[in-house]
Amino acid sequence: MPWTRANYPVSLKNFMAPVRNKAIEIANALLNEGVPEERAIPIATARAEEWATNRNMKIRKTKAA
């Protein structure tokens, strides 16, 4: 199932929007290549985190106190 900015895996909910959007983009590309959904999500998450780190971007939302 391809994901969108409005419909994405729950595991991405605490990511900052740019990082979440990159993970969605990567996951959809992996799905198109035939990677199973249960593998695409963790791979996309790791790659999006690396992408953000390389750009000195904040990765996750700050938890409320």
Side-chain angles (χ1 to χ4, degrees):
M1 168 186 172
W3 293 290
T4 66
R5 290 180 180 194
N7 181 24
Y8 51 83
V10 174
S11 61
L12 300 178
K13 73 177 183 175
N14 290 322
F15 283 87
M16 298 299 291
V19 182
R20 182 176 55 246
N21 293 338
K22 179 55 84 173
I24 291 166
E25 175 186 326
I26 294 167
N28 284 333
L30 290 168
L31 290 176
N32 288 335
E33 293 174 6
V35 176
E37 187 174 309
E38 59 273 2
R39 291 292 307 134
I41 296 169
I43 292 169
T45 301
R47 289 183 185 173
E49 287 178 345
E50 181 179 357
W51 173 83
T53 299
N54 289 338
R55 287 158 180 76
N56 295 318
M57 298 172 72
K58 185 174 176 183
I59 296 173
R60 288 186 171 77
K61 296 177 185 175
T62 306
K63 292 185 179 182

